[in-house]
Amino acid sequence: MAEDDLTAHRAASEAAPACATVEVGARRMSIEDVVAIACARAGVALNADADWRARIERGAAFLRERLAAGATVYGVNTGYGDACVVNVPPELVEALPLQLTRYHGCGMGRLLDSAETRAVIAARLNSLAYGYSGVRVVLLERLADLINFDILPRIPAEGSVGASGDLTPLSYVAAALVGERDVQFDARVRPAAGVWAELNRTPLQLAPKEGLALMNGTAVMTGLACLAFARAAQLTRLAARLTALSTVALDGRAAHFDAMIFDVKPHAGQAQAAAWIREDLAGREDTAGQRLQDRYSIRCAPHVIGVAQDALSWVRRDVENELNSANDNPLIDVDGERVLHGGNFYGGHIAFAMDSLKTAVANLADLMDRQFALIVDDKFNNGLPRNLSGASAARAPISHGFKAVQISSSAWTAEALKLTMPASVFSRSTEAHNQDKVSMGTIAARDCLRVIELTEQVAAAHTLAAVQAARLRLSVTAGAELTAPLARFVERVGELSAFVGDDRPLERDLRELTQCIADGGLVGACPPAGAMSEASR
């Protein structure tokens, strides 16, 4: 890369997160911070405070002093895991970290995508910045470079049992820092060493504990959990809006969402879901000719959505606690001058949070699929055309509207429900029975993201159908109209997918709308970086 190009690239990389920079070090990071970094809407800057930087360096210096004094420190002058009883001679201590990064280079499966990779790096950087890991400031600076220059290690998704942390996937982050393996840079796959050279950086030579500090933590599962949280939160809001739109499409009753019903069963998430639906139906009057009670997928929708909404409150707590933790082993207590051997790499809280969240989200998929089934079926949709066909009367006999989309929605829903088997109960004894109880947190997080992906596809299908049904309702029912929020929603969806008159393939519409949902484009994007929940403060 020519010097002018390098200067331009640096300027672009540093300017890319123009809307925000997330400070790392001596502050709590929020899920929204991680999502902003992951989506390339924010870069990172290390705390400029001299005392914070000095404390980081004191940890690394204290560790070297202990080694010089002849102390035995796990993973620094001993072997790893079950090999902790093997003493490493002094002349090999400096070589040990690189060995760790190399022999863990055995990941398989798909590669984490760009957003997932940035989230992982952000989570690892934030954990090490708490100053209990015995690493140097230069290591934190190199991790920040990965984010700010968008140098993305190619991390295989499979190979972690979630304790001792995410060893194998995080070895790809460590390898990138030392100039080994490939990275993605400027939209190309490149050798890491060449990228550092172009950026006038020297590949990092790991200090005695730095390989272990990078790899022996929960950053992969935690980074993925942050992304899962944000997308699940968007789905709860979208499910409420689609319930309101389906109520209109089915000519259903707004009274099912009266505030009194939810005051006397005081689950906060359930009340919030009902409030969202009421806002979307504000001003809608029920009539005597309507069915007395709508079916459960409409009437009980706040009760289903509310479970997910309430789960998000404690999922946030546990994910942000993990995000803002020192989670490698051993830990360095620089103030107390101690080395503490423990098990903070165990990802049990993330595992349980992701197992629970994926179940709550799969129930949203099931809810939306059931609503879709009602509005597409002329036996239940109160006068709308069979399969929501918008074809002319002459073409109606050969038109099938949303029939195939509903079948596909059922397939996606079934797959999401199948994946709700909890990962956290499938602990396997590994590594010569040293790691004999493990969390499976990374598998749980990956499963959760897959359930969310499938649910977003269901939501896209339901959105297209509900908007089609609402348009048809306006045409077949005298006096029918949409409230302002629903009218804006229908208009927004119409920008992505036109009314389905004669049958046409809908794959492109579904793909674009699914991506829009994943990005928060239908119900509002995630809060900006720096926005923190009360639980985070």
Side-chain angles (χ1 to χ4, degrees):
M1 186 182 288
E3 186 59 35
D4 288 348
D5 292 338
L6 176 59
T7 301
H9 177 81
R10 282 175 174 163
S13 297
E14 291 166 4
C19 59
T21 299
V22 174
E23 184 183 65
V24 178
R27 65 176 287 275
R28 279 180 70 85
M29 186 179 281
S30 70
I31 287 172
E32 288 73 23
D33 289 333
V34 174
V35 171
I37 293 166
C39 297
R41 291 188 281 107
V44 296
L46 296 183
N47 190 337
D49 180 69
D51 290 341
W52 173 79
R53 289 174 176 257
R55 188 177 187 284
I56 297 293
E57 294 294 354
R58 280 168 51 211
F62 170 70
L63 186 58
R64 284 197 176 274
E65 291 168 4
R66 287 297 300 268
L67 293 177
T72 299
V73 180
Y74 166 74
V76 179
N77 55 6
T78 75
Y80 297 114
D82 184 62
C84 65
V85 297
V86 176
N87 292 322
V88 175
E91 64 271 19
L92 293 179
V93 165
E94 298 291 338
L96 184 61
L98 191 57
Q99 292 292 106
L100 178 67
T101 70
R102 286 174 173 169
Y103 80 77
H104 268 288
C106 58
M108 292 292 285
R110 72 171 181 90
L111 298 177
L112 299 187
D113 66 27
S114 296
E116 291 168 339
T117 302
R118 296 186 196 104
V120 167
I121 298 167
R124 198 76 213 113
L125 172 59
N126 192 58
S127 177
L128 297 179
Y130 274 92
Y132 293 95
S133 301
V135 303
R136 299 164 296 163
V137 171
V138 66
L139 182 141
L140 305 182
E141 291 172 342
R142 288 293 182 272
L143 284 170
D145 283 342
L146 293 181
I147 293 171
N148 291 331
F149 287 103
D150 211 28
I151 306 165
L152 303 182
R154 290 164 59 78
I155 305 174
E158 299 170 9
S160 174
V161 294
S164 297
D166 292 314
L167 291 167
T168 289
L170 286 175
S171 78
Y172 290 78
V173 176
L177 295 183
V178 303
E180 295 190 356
R181 304 182 205 168
D182 290 336
V183 296
Q184 180 177 300
F185 180 68
D186 277 350
R188 290 186 293 150
V189 176
R190 307 275 304 283
V195 171
W196 289 122
E198 290 182 11
L199 296 175
N200 293 328
R201 301 285 201 275
T202 302
L204 197 65
Q205 183 173 346
L206 296 173
K209 185 179 175 287
E210 288 180 342
L212 189 60
L214 283 165
M215 293 165 52
N216 182 218
T218 59
V220 176
M221 68 180 81
T222 302
L224 298 184
C226 289
L227 299 179
F229 177 95
R231 290 165 67 180
Q234 292 161 1
L235 281 169
T236 60
R237 181 64 187 92
L238 180 56
R241 172 143 294 166
L242 291 174
T243 297
L245 193 59
S246 295
T247 299
V248 173
L250 292 165
D251 196 21
R253 288 186 171 271
H256 293 320
F257 312 109
D258 190 285
M260 173 64 76
I261 297 171
F262 303 93
D263 289 343
V264 298
K265 190 176 183 182
H267 295 295
Q270 180 176 287
Q272 177 64 75
W276 284 331
I277 297 168
R278 281 198 306 278
E279 290 167 9
D280 283 347
L281 294 176
R284 177 178 171 79
E285 297 292 335
D286 293 345
T287 63
Q290 291 170 312
R291 179 185 167 100
L292 181 61
Q293 292 190 150
D294 291 332
R295 290 171 174 84
Y296 282 14
S297 62
I298 302 296
R299 182 168 25 125
C300 299
H303 306 75
V304 178
I305 300 166
V307 173
Q309 182 67 16
D310 277 327
L312 287 168
S313 64
W314 66 263
V315 168
R316 176 187 284 278
R317 178 201 68 196
D318 286 0
V319 170
E320 289 188 343
N321 279 342
E322 192 74 33
L323 175 65
N324 292 285
S325 69
N327 48 59
D328 56 307
N329 173 60
L331 296 176
I332 308 302
D333 175 13
V334 65
D335 296 322
E337 297 188 340
R338 298 182 298 165
V339 177
L340 302 171
H341 295 87
N344 278 7
F345 49 70
Y346 192 87
H349 282 82
I350 296 293
F352 187 71
M354 293 296 97
D355 277 347
S356 302
L357 186 60
K358 71 186 181 188
T359 299
V361 170
N363 269 301
L364 296 181
D366 197 29
L367 176 76
M368 290 185 284
D369 185 57
R370 293 303 84 212
Q371 291 179 352
F372 186 178
L374 289 179
I375 62 176
V376 81
D377 192 332
D378 62 340
K379 296 186 293 298
F380 303 104
N381 65 19
N382 203 9
L384 298 182
R386 179 184 290 113
N387 298 312
L388 303 178
S389 173
S392 65
R395 301 279 293 176
I398 62 168
S399 296
H400 293 80
F402 282 79
K403 177 189 283 289
V405 179
Q406 198 274 322
I407 294 170
S408 293
S409 176
S410 288
W412 303 326
T413 301
E415 187 171 348
L417 296 172
K418 178 179 71 71
L419 289 173
T420 57
M421 176 74 75
S424 55
V425 298
F426 284 94
S427 175
R428 310 295 302 151
S429 183
T430 64
E431 204 257 310
H433 298 294
N434 176 57
Q435 300 177 14
D436 58 349
K437 175 61 177 169
V438 294
S439 75
M440 298 298 180
T442 310
I443 296 174
R446 288 195 290 107
D447 282 352
C448 187
L449 281 170
R450 177 57 179 156
V451 169
I452 287 170
E453 180 181 43
L454 289 161
T455 303
E456 288 165 348
Q457 292 173 193
V458 174
H462 185 21
T463 297
L464 292 182
V467 167
Q468 176 93 352
R471 289 166 168 163
L472 291 169
R473 177 61 62 195
L474 298 182
S475 69
V476 302
T477 301
E481 60 182 17
L482 295 175
T483 62
L486 295 182
R488 288 193 297 269
F489 182 76
V490 168
E491 182 179 6
R492 171 69 179 117
V493 175
E495 295 169 358
L496 300 172
S497 178
F499 180 80
V500 181
D502 217 11
D503 290 349
R504 70 171 192 266
L506 288 173
E507 178 188 347
R508 178 174 294 181
D509 306 60
L510 287 165
R511 288 190 183 277
E512 290 184 3
L513 190 55
T514 298
Q515 188 61 56
C516 183
I517 290 167
D519 293 341
L522 280 189
V523 290
C526 294
M532 297 177 68
S533 66
E534 284 302 313
S536 303
R537 297 185 188 278

